[in-house]
Amino acid sequence: MTSKKLSIKIITLFPKFIEDFVENFGIVKRAVKLKLLDIKAVNLRSFGLDQRQTVDGRPYGGGVGMVLRADVLYKAIASAKKSKNQDLRSKSRVILLCPQGKQFTQHDAHRLAKYDQLIFVAGRYEGFDERIRKFVDEEISVGDYVLMGGELPALVISEAVMRLRPGILGKDESSKDESFAESVNKNYGRKIYSLEYPQYTKPEVWKLGNKKYNVPKVLLTGHHKNIGEYRKSESDKRTKKRRPDLIES
């Protein structure tokens, strides 16, 4: 069965920022080539006004900096939403990236991975005209800090989502047991997000000065059941110690 293509469009004043990511990141290039992914920049300047392609204006009431115009943003969003594909029109999500939005989590990555088209609106300058919020589906933040623009958050969320789509990582198992993977934990009787178990590779014994750092013996046995139990136990310990909030929530 052929996997559905994921379409990602990022509305931005700096399209090369997005294009360089697509052209130089191997996994993304492969997914695009296999028609599992289509990720494009939508140049906000193309929808600007007058000969200068103006996209912003001074804030009413005074203040420092410039604000992106709602009418220009609206035209860019409307253009990005257009598609001959009915599935893309019906399973599309428009996301405004801003520090005031809901903080992004792995749960959101799983939720957004169910859509066939994601449209990100990346801001710059002093932000957006408030009225554009009426024309987006949700607002997302990647943390309690402020960046110079929304391009990096758009790519962060895009990468978190695309790797959950069938075929993009090459092996779907690659995202199964990693940190924040959702699973039913028998100890708590409900779904929780847990941290990934520790990983090891060569050398088997790493000598550093007078000390030796060994790979846990169970990982060398080839006994899959014991290895699985060890990894599950280590994952639970690590989650409880480092991120107890994942269990408590």
Side-chain angles (χ1 to χ4, degrees), residues 42-124:
V42 176
N43 191 346
L44 183 61
R45 191 72 65 182
S46 300
F47 303 90
L49 310 173
D50 60 47
Q51 289 185 335
R52 296 181 60 191
Q53 295 181 300
T54 302
V55 299
D56 56 6
R58 295 191 180 282
Y60 284 121
V64 179
M66 305 291 279
V67 176
L68 292 174
R69 293 176 58 127
D71 51 353
V72 175
L73 287 165
Y74 176 79
K75 287 193 291 182
I77 293 171
S79 175
K81 288 173 75 173
K82 285 181 182 177
S83 175
K84 295 178 181 179
N85 188 323
Q86 178 60 39
D87 286 343
L88 287 187
R89 292 200 300 271
S90 62
K91 296 196 70 177
S92 182
R93 195 81 172 157
V94 180
I95 299 162
L96 190 72
L97 298 159
C98 67
Q100 301 169 26
K102 176 185 179 293
Q103 191 153 316
F104 182 72
T105 67
Q106 186 68 11
H107 175 76
D108 294 305
H110 281 275
R111 176 175 59 83
L112 294 175
K114 296 174 183 177
Y115 289 91
D116 292 325
Q117 177 170 254
L118 299 175
I119 298 169
F120 295 101
V121 184
R124 282 274 162 174

Side-chain angles (χ1 to χ4, degrees), residues 16-223:
K16 197 169 188 311
F17 198 115
I18 310 303
E19 291 161 1
D20 284 349
F21 171 80
V22 176
E23 292 167 7
N24 294 300
F25 187 23
I27 291 175
V28 173
K29 280 180 70 174
R30 174 185 171 275
V32 171
K33 187 176 181 180
L34 293 175
K35 298 183 178 180
L36 297 171
L37 175 68
D38 182 29
I39 178 167
K40 291 178 179 175
V42 176
N43 191 346
L44 183 61
R45 191 72 65 182
S46 300
F47 303 90
L49 310 173
D50 60 47
Q51 289 185 335
R52 296 181 60 191
Q53 295 181 300
T54 302
V55 299
D56 56 6
R58 295 191 180 282
Y60 284 121
V64 179
M66 305 291 279
V67 176
L68 292 174
R69 293 176 58 127
D71 51 353
V72 175
L73 287 165
Y74 176 79
K75 287 193 291 182
I77 293 171
S79 175
K81 288 173 75 173
K82 285 181 182 177
S83 175
K84 295 178 181 179
N85 188 323
Q86 178 60 39
D87 286 343
L88 287 187
R89 292 200 300 271
S90 62
K91 296 196 70 177
S92 182
R93 195 81 172 157
V94 180
I95 299 162
L96 190 72
L97 298 159
C98 67
Q100 301 169 26
K102 176 185 179 293
Q103 191 153 316
F104 182 72
T105 67
Q106 186 68 11
H107 175 76
D108 294 305
H110 281 275
R111 176 175 59 83
L112 294 175
K114 296 174 183 177
Y115 289 91
D116 292 325
Q117 177 170 254
L118 299 175
I119 298 169
F120 295 101
V121 184
R124 282 274 162 174
Y125 313 136
E126 288 302 306
F128 313 93
D129 183 305
E130 183 70 16
R131 292 168 288 186
I132 199 58
R133 298 181 191 274
K134 297 180 184 295
F135 301 96
V136 301
D137 296 310
E138 62 182 292
E139 300 176 32
I140 292 180
S141 164
V142 293
D144 293 336
Y145 48 86
V146 180
L147 300 173
M148 289 184 284
E151 288 79 12
L152 278 173
L155 292 177
V156 165
I157 297 170
S158 294
E159 187 170 320
V161 170
M162 70 175 71
R163 64 197 311 280
L164 297 175
R165 297 279 293 207
I168 288 183
L169 281 185
K171 291 183 178 179
D172 295 335
E173 292 84 0
S174 298
S175 63
K176 185 180 176 183
D177 296 317
E178 63 195 3
S179 292
F180 306 108
E182 187 180 68
S183 62
V184 176
N185 189 296
K186 292 179 181 178
N187 295 330
Y188 301 98
R190 57 183 170 81
K191 284 185 178 181
I192 67 165
Y193 289 102
S194 56
L195 301 183
E196 186 179 12
Y197 49 77
Q199 298 272 25
Y200 299 86
T201 187
K202 296 177 181 179
E204 181 181 325
V205 179
W206 176 31
K207 296 178 182 179
L208 190 62
N210 295 323
K211 290 189 175 182
K212 292 182 180 180
Y213 299 89
N214 299 317
V215 173
K217 289 183 179 179
V218 66
L219 299 178
L220 308 174
T221 63
H223 194 296

